[in-house]
């Protein structure tokens, strides 16, 4: 099995190398990059390419590593015992399987996505070291040992909100998804909108990449936001001249709410437009 990208996902050469290396080594692939660069979608595309089931574990700030293995619902057992339910005699009835248990017992080689691992507590990655290494864990309440039928392909994403422990990093194959250059971005747009006008793409990309170069932006527009913006431009059927007209009054592009996501950046572009208009008047 080799990952070469899919019809819906443009994978660069270095990304394909990283995915295939991690799949060969069966090491977790740790993927970092700007939000909106396709880290989460990558796992789904790998699963599609390998014809493998996708098991998603979406990490939150309150997520604990134990939840990925299993949880023992003692409260439900206590309630059932008070009600005289016969289920209380088998503790296994109160063991809830986590996503890693689901991946370990999958009858077919699965892709396990641990999404946004950096959202959780700093100890979260360390608490998974043994399980990711040995691909097994013990259920202490039942005395059962859960061992992986096949070593799953593990994709772990991070937005770099916090540093991950060195011991965890040593166990991963690492890849940073660079922000797409213009040529790659054009290919991504074509995948999503094969019938889009070339002139519209060219002018939209001029504005998009110019915006990303503006100093002082709090949040640069991402790939997914560009795709949303293009979808709106096509839906509104705006003439290309609206984008091509780059005079001092049009520094903020039409439908900019798809690209600028906070008031500080909107105000930044408004100030730049005002300064350009004043400079033009003085000139």
């Amino acid at each position: 099995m080799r990952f070469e990208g899919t019809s819906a996902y443009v994978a660069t050469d270095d990304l394909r190398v990283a995915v295939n290396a991690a799949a060969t080594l069966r090491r977790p692939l740790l993927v970092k990059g700007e939000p909106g660069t396709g880290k989460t979608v990558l796992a789904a595309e790998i699963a599609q390419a390998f014809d493998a089931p996708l098991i998603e574990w979406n990490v939150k700030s309150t997520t604990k590593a134990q939840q990925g293995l299993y949880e023992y619902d003692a409260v439900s057992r206590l309630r059932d015992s008070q009600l005289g339910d016969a289920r209380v005699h088998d503790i296994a009835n109160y063991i809830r399987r986590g996503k890693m248990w689901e991946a370990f017992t999958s009858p077919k080689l699965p892709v396990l996505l641990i999404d946004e691992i950096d959202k959780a507590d700093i100890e979260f990655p360390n608490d998974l070291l043994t399980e990711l290494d040995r691909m097994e864990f013990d259920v202490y309440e039942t005395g059962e040992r859960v061992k992986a039928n096949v070593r799953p392909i593990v994709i772990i994403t991070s937005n770099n909100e916090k540093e991950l422990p060195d011991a965890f990093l040593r166990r991963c194959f690492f890849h940073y998804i660079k922000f797409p250059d213009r040529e790659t971005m054009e290919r991504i747009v074509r995948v999503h909108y094969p019938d889009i006008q070339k002139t519209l793409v060219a002018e939209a990309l001029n504005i998009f990449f110019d915006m990303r170069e503006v100093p002082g932006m709090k949040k640069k527009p991402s790939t997914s936001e560009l795709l949303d913006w293009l979808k709106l431009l096509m839906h509104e059927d705006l003439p290309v001249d609206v984008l091509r007209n780059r005079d001092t009054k049009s520094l903020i592009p039409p439908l900019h709410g798809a690209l600028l996501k906070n008031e500080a950046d909107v105000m930044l572009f408004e100030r730049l437009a005002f300064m350009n208009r004043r400079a033009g008047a003085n000139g």
Side-chain angles (χ1 to χ4, degrees):
M1 296 187 301
R2 290 192 63 79
F3 179 70
E4 300 294 343
T6 68
S7 60
Y9 191 91
V10 176
T12 58
D13 290 341
D14 55 345
L15 178 57
R16 290 197 295 267
V17 168
V19 170
N20 291 316
T24 299
L25 295 171
R26 290 296 165 84
R27 291 272 190 180
L29 175 62
L30 174 61
V31 184
K32 292 186 179 184
E34 283 187 34
T37 50
K39 300 186 296 299
T40 301
V41 177
L42 174 63
E45 298 302 325
I46 293 171
Q48 178 185 326
F50 290 168
D51 189 26
L54 174 64
I55 298 171
E56 299 182 65
W57 184 10
N58 298 303
V59 177
K60 301 178 181 179
S61 60
T62 56
T63 303
K64 303 299 181 185
Q66 180 65 31
Q67 294 172 306
L69 307 179
Y70 70 93
E71 292 183 276
Y72 168 48
D73 190 354
V75 174
S76 292
R77 192 182 188 203
L78 175 61
R79 183 191 63 234
D80 288 350
S81 68
Q82 293 170 338
L83 296 173
D85 194 321
R87 295 175 72 248
V88 299
H89 299 298
D90 185 358
I91 197 171
N93 290 324
Y94 303 94
I95 300 295
R96 297 179 179 176
R97 298 185 176 192
K99 296 298 184 180
M100 289 184 69
W101 189 331
E102 186 180 340
F104 286 4
T105 56
S106 172
K108 191 175 180 181
L109 170 67
V111 174
L112 171 63
L113 169 64
I114 305 177
D115 197 26
E116 298 190 334
I117 194 172
D118 53 325
K119 279 188 176 180
D121 184 84
I122 188 63
E123 290 304 319
F124 180 92
N126 281 335
D127 291 341
L128 294 177
L129 291 180
T130 302
E131 290 75 16
L132 289 174
D133 254 356
R134 299 180 181 176
M135 287 293 162
E136 64 180 29
F137 62 89
D138 292 317
V139 183
Y140 298 107
E141 289 79 3
T142 63
E144 178 183 4
R145 173 161 291 182
V146 179
K147 191 170 184 177
N149 295 329
V150 290
R151 196 174 183 92
I153 298 171
V154 181
I155 308 299
I156 302 172
T157 71
S158 170
N159 286 326
N160 252 350
E161 290 185 12
K162 62 172 68 79
E163 289 297 321
L164 300 175
D166 289 345
F168 179 79
L169 295 174
R170 283 197 299 271
R171 288 163 170 81
C172 299
F173 193 95
F174 173 75
H175 181 73
Y176 183 85
I177 297 183
K178 299 176 183 177
F179 194 83
D181 58 22
R182 186 179 179 110
E183 181 182 349
T184 304
M185 192 66 82
E186 287 179 354
R187 291 168 56 201
I188 292 171
V189 170
R190 290 291 169 195
V191 163
H192 287 82
Y193 309 124
D195 299 324
I196 194 171
Q197 296 178 33
K198 290 183 178 180
T199 51
L200 175 61
V201 174
E203 295 301 331
L205 287 182
N206 287 340
I207 294 174
F208 175 76
F209 280 104
D210 283 350
M211 289 179 70
R212 285 184 55 86
E213 293 299 319
V214 172
M217 285 195 73
K218 290 178 67 67
K219 184 192 176 304
K220 296 180 179 181
S222 68
T223 304
S224 60
E225 288 158 347
L226 169 66
L227 295 173
D228 286 345
W229 185 47
L230 285 170
K231 183 176 182 178
L232 287 173
L233 292 176
M234 289 187 293
H235 182 267
E236 296 295 330
D237 198 23
L238 293 177
V240 176
D241 286 345
V242 173
L243 301 183
R244 189 179 290 125
N245 178 20
R246 306 298 299 278
D247 63 26
T248 56
K249 296 182 180 180
S250 58
L251 282 180
I252 300 182
L255 302 168
H256 64 270
L259 299 172
L260 302 175
K261 295 303 177 71
N262 62 67
E263 63 278 11
D265 287 338
V266 173
M267 291 175 64
L268 172 64
F269 275 82
E270 288 175 344
R271 286 197 302 271
L272 290 173
F274 173 76
M275 290 169 63
N276 279 359
R277 287 196 298 270
R278 189 169 64 177
N282 292 338

